């Protein structure tokens, strides 16, 4: 396979960074209840202090610690009951020496009190009197004003992907809406004379389209919205028309198939014709997925993915992740992995970084990484794999019994 300009995976990612770091997505305002999973378009600064009053973390009695100093089961402190704080209301009295007030969890600690003793360590003797069996330290069982959020502080930064707890922070500072980036519009195109769409009759020699579905789902999982899904024949004219149309309305164009150097492989020429500077690389030193094209067409990314379903999805997993996070102005989340022991020798790929699909098997000491073998085009291979073991480009392979990291797919 004689590709034009083969570069390492790292160099490919650097190309994306160099070319698309300044890409500007539009922003939109969404209500907090619909903001989960969206990416913040600006830093969020709190206009308020949370909590704005001292809150008890326990059901118990608000006291002055000096009044219960040395209190014990045998020698309790006897305090006068000044009142009972109701949830959601102001404790409108000040605790005087020798007094206690009942406070529920989350209730306001009255002025004058400096701590809360848990109800378990007390006994209400009469309507007016309570005995306390434990001493308290100052601030014990109290959340102080601003312990959660200080007024004027940045609670979250631009580019953050909002998770459930983040929505809690945003509502706690009184926001009802938040400005997020509009999801990148993505067109997913598959090319191949042999590819039949889901509602087409399949003729002998044809296969069902896989990539349009897998790539679109992967892009959606990264936070994109799919605006076009198209299957095109290996026809340069037709492919050019479809690509131009998709390019005009997309932030990212993904084309799978025809990315190599076969007679009917038109992806390279067609992608290059979309706009300057055009194709940046043709070929990644990676297995599975060498015939990959990265282009910058007038500032927009156009990626030509290999046709093999496994390659297409794995390559998109790497490049798509980098690209989408660049657009969202955030760093991709730290990758997690599972430590495992390799069950057999695996070969690297000369001069290429290789990702070996593995499944995990429980062993007496932890997990075993069991290579999943098959031809590179078999999608069930990918579906039945838990993750990948990565073999660097300068390494010949990994031996049975070695400790490896398995990165979930
Ligand atoms: P290509 O990159 O066009 O040479 O395709 C490589 C292999 O992937 C061929 O066996 C194609 O039939 C297959 N292929 C290409 N596109 C798809 C697709 N959308 N769905 C399933 N298989 C595909
Ligand atoms: Mg083809």
């Amino acid at each position: 396979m004689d590709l034009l300009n083969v570069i390492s995976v790292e160099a490919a990612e650097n190309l994306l960074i160099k070319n698309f770091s300044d890409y500007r997505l539009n922003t939109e305002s969404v209500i907090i209840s619909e903001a989960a999973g969206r990416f913040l378009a600006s830093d969020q600064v709190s206009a308020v202090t949370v909590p704005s009053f001292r809150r008890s973390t326990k059901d118990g009695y608000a006291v002055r610690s000096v009044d219960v100093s040395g209190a014990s089961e045998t020698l309790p402190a006897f305090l006068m009951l000044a009142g009972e704080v109701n949830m959601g209301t102001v404790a409108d009295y000040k605790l005087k020496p020798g007094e206690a007030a009942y406070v529920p969890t989350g209730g306001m600690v009255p002025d004058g009190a400096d701590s809360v003793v848990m109800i378990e360590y007390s006994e209400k003797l009469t309507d007016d009197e309570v005995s306390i069996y434990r001493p308290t330290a100052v601030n014990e069982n109290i959340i102080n004003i601003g312990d959660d959020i200080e007024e004027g502080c940045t609670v979250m930064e631009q580019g953050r992907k909002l998770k459930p707890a983040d929505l809690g922070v945003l509502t706690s500072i009184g926001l009802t809406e938040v400005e997020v980036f509009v999801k990148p519009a993505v067109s997913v195109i598959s090319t191949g004379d042999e590819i039949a769409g889901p509602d087409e009759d399949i003729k002998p020699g044809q296969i069902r389209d896989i990539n349009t579905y897998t790539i679109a789902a992967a892009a959606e999982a990264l936070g994109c919205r799919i605006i076009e899904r198209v299957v095109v024949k290996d026809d340069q004219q037709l492919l050019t028309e479809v690509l131009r149309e998709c390019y005009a309305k997309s932030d990212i164009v993904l084309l799978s198939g025809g990315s190599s150097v076969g007679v009917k492989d038109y992806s390279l020429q067609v992608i290059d014709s979309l706009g300057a500077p055009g194709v940046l690389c043709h070929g990644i030193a990676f297995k599975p997925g060498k015939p990959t094209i990265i282009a910058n067409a007038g500032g927009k990314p156009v990626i030509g993915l290999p046709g093999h379903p496994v390659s297409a999805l794995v390559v998109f997993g790497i490049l798509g992740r980098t690209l989408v996070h660049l657009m969202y102005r955030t760093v991709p989340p730290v990758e997690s992995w599972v430590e495992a022991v390799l069950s057999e020798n695996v070969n690297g790929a000369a001069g290429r970084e290789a990702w070996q699909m593995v499944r995990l098997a429980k062993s007496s000491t932890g997990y075993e990484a069991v290579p999943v073998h098959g031809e590179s085009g078999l999608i069930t291979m990918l579906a039945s794999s838990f993750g990948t073991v990565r073999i660097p480009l300068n390494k010949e392979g990994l031996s049975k019994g070695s400790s490896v990291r398995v990165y979930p797919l």
Side-chain angles (χ1 to χ4, degrees):
M1 196 193 306
D2 194 14
L3 302 180
L4 294 179
N5 174 21
V6 181
I7 61 175
S8 69
V9 175
E10 194 188 348
E13 292 186 293
N14 286 335
L15 265 189
L16 295 177
I17 294 167
K18 188 165 154 239
N19 280 269
F20 306 112
S21 287
D22 294 331
Y23 196 92
R24 286 254 160 234
L25 290 172
N26 287 331
T27 69
E28 64 183 337
S29 185
V30 293
I31 56 173
I32 301 290
S33 54
E34 286 172 10
R38 303 298 300 272
F39 291 76
L40 279 182
S42 58
D43 292 353
Q44 300 297 310
V45 176
S46 178
V48 296
T49 299
V50 182
S52 59
F53 57 91
R54 293 192 306 156
R55 302 179 72 194
S56 174
T57 62
K58 298 278 159 50
D59 291 321
Y61 287 96
V63 297
R64 298 152 38 99
S65 52
V66 287
D67 290 343
V68 294
S69 136
S72 66
E73 289 279 347
T74 47
L75 207 63
F78 296 99
L79 301 176
M80 297 306 291
L81 269 178
E84 195 167 300
V85 177
N86 291 314
M87 286 300 268
T89 64
V90 174
D92 55 357
Y93 44 83
K94 187 172 178 207
L95 223 60
K96 293 196 277 295
E99 286 183 347
Y102 176 77
V103 207
T105 303
M108 184 184 287
V109 175
D111 282 350
D114 63 12
S115 51
V116 173
V117 63
M118 282 166 74
I119 195 152
E120 289 86 331
Y121 306 124
S122 72
E123 189 177 349
K124 194 174 170 190
L125 303 171
T126 66
D127 279 354
D128 304 318
E129 204 180 4
V130 63
S131 54
I132 306 290
Y133 302 116
R134 282 264 175 116
T136 59
V138 173
N139 281 331
E140 190 171 332
N141 297 327
I142 290 179
I143 303 176
N144 275 302
I145 293 170
D147 268 356
D148 224 356
I149 298 163
E150 297 275 9
E151 181 186 332
C153 77
T154 301
V155 289
M156 273 168 231
E157 290 180 355
Q158 181 193 55
R160 185 180 182 89
K161 184 180 185 185
L162 294 172
K163 53 187 185 186
D166 296 338
L167 303 195
V169 172
L170 296 174
T171 57
S172 76
I173 63 172
L175 296 184
T176 53
E177 295 189 346
V178 68
E179 199 70 7
V180 294
F181 287 115
V182 171
K183 293 183 177 189
V186 175
S187 293
V188 184
I189 307 150
S190 291
T191 181
D193 284 338
E194 74 283 22
I195 314 294
D199 33 359
E200 276 179 65
D201 282 337
I202 193 158
K203 298 183 199 78
Q206 287 195 316
I207 54 162
R208 291 273 178 219
D209 171 31
I210 292 175
N211 296 350
T212 315
Y213 296 89
T214 53
I215 303 302
E220 278 178 333
L222 282 172
C224 300
R225 70 200 151 98
I226 308 304
I227 57 163
E228 280 293 351
R229 300 161 192 261
V230 200
V231 177
V232 196
K233 295 287 174 219
D234 289 317
D235 173 326
Q236 189 165 356
Q237 180 64 32
L238 204 58
L239 197 57
T240 306
E241 280 166 29
V242 168
L243 237 68
R244 279 191 190 290
E245 211 177 289
C246 291
Y247 168 76
K249 56 188 178 189
S250 306
D251 294 300
I252 301 171
V253 180
L254 302 172
L255 168 65
S256 77
S259 62
S260 194
V261 289
V263 257
K264 296 201 87 182
D265 287 343
Y266 301 118
S267 295
L268 186 71
Q269 298 94 300
V270 173
I271 289 175
D272 199 44
S273 74
L274 289 173
V279 170
L280 306 168
C281 93
H282 184 207
I284 296 183
F286 179 69
K287 185 186 175 185
K290 192 175 177 190
T292 298
I293 300 162
I294 298 176
N296 175 347
K300 278 187 199 177
V302 181
I303 311 280
L305 296 164
H308 281 300
V310 172
S311 311
L313 195 52
V314 173
V315 169
F316 178 71
I318 302 173
L319 302 183
R321 181 173 186 268
T322 303
L323 190 54
V324 171
H325 287 91
L326 279 175
M327 290 188 163
Y328 278 133
R329 303 186 168 266
T330 189
V331 280
V334 176
E335 281 191 295
S336 57
W337 66 82
V338 177
E339 295 283 350
V341 172
L342 207 52
S343 71
E344 58 187 81
N345 293 340
V346 295
N347 294 324
R352 289 196 276 166
E353 178 174 333
W355 285 18
Q356 172 66 51
M357 313 292 151
V358 296
R359 59 184 180 78
L360 285 183
K362 264 234 160 268
S363 72
S364 54
T365 50
Y367 288 105
E368 208 180 29
V370 183
V372 177
H373 295 297
E375 282 303 311
S376 65
L378 303 179
I379 191 65
T380 50
M381 218 184 95
L382 193 55
S384 64
S385 299
F386 171 84
T388 60
V389 168
R390 301 173 184 180
I391 306 153
L393 132 165
N394 52 9
K395 218 166 164 164
E396 277 181 11
L398 297 169
S399 14
K400 174 180 173 167
S402 52
S403 290
V404 290
R405 290 176 175 184
V406 180
Y407 294 87
L409 280 158

